[in-house]
Amino acid sequence: MSFLIRVIINALALAAAVWIVPGLKIGAVGDGAVNTAIAYLIVAVIFGLVNALVRPIVKFFTLPITCLTLGLFTIVINALMLLLTSWLTTFTPIEFVIEHFWWDAIAGTIIIAIISAVLGLFVKSDKN
């Protein structure tokens, strides 16, 4: 159940980022609210898998520069994970487009982090 809630939170955070940042776009297969919601959920699953599998490895190898920048390089790492998610969706019928890395991916990353943190406050944790 926790995985499904995390996917929904990621999908809502992605939707907010796409709504706020003009350079982020998610294209569904067809028209309609159901197809759009499914597209956001699929991109959220891919984003969650990228964050679970690739991000720890990248964070380990970039630990010196992250320490040197007092943690600010983490934003760049998260933007790279968002860019990797965009590339992985090219193999699916859903299209997740990031027009510019520096402005769009960085801004999208910050928005996704804030929305996910705020929505995560309302979810009961299974780690008691």
Side-chain angles (χ1 to χ4, degrees):
M1 192 64 154
S2 173
F3 175 74
L4 182 62
I5 292 172
R6 287 185 184 269
V7 168
I8 292 171
I9 288 174
N10 272 340
L12 291 173
L14 280 166
V18 168
W19 183 62
I20 293 171
V21 179
L24 298 178
K25 295 175 181 59
I26 291 183
V29 175
D31 292 333
V34 174
N35 290 337
T36 304
I38 291 172
Y40 279 108
L41 289 173
I42 290 173
V43 172
V45 167
I46 294 171
F47 186 57
L49 289 173
V50 165
N51 278 335
L53 300 174
V54 178
R55 186 173 170 225
I57 298 167
V58 173
K59 283 184 79 170
F60 175 75
F61 286 114
T62 60
L63 187 61
I65 193 166
T66 303
C67 291
L68 188 66
T69 61
L70 302 175
L72 289 176
F73 193 72
T74 306
I75 296 172
V76 175
I77 294 171
N78 291 342
L80 287 171
M81 296 304 108
L82 197 62
L83 197 63
L84 180 60
T85 301
S86 173
W87 177 74
L88 287 173
T89 59
T90 60
F91 300 107
T92 65
I94 289 121
E95 182 181 34
F96 178 50
V97 178
I98 300 172
E99 290 182 5
H100 300 98
F101 172 77
W102 191 249
W103 300 113
D104 298 332
I106 298 290
T109 296
I110 293 169
I111 292 168
I112 289 170
I114 291 170
I115 300 293
S116 294
V118 169
L119 291 178
L121 293 174
F122 297 108
V123 176
K124 182 181 173 187
S125 176
D126 291 339
K127 300 175 186 178
N128 289 333

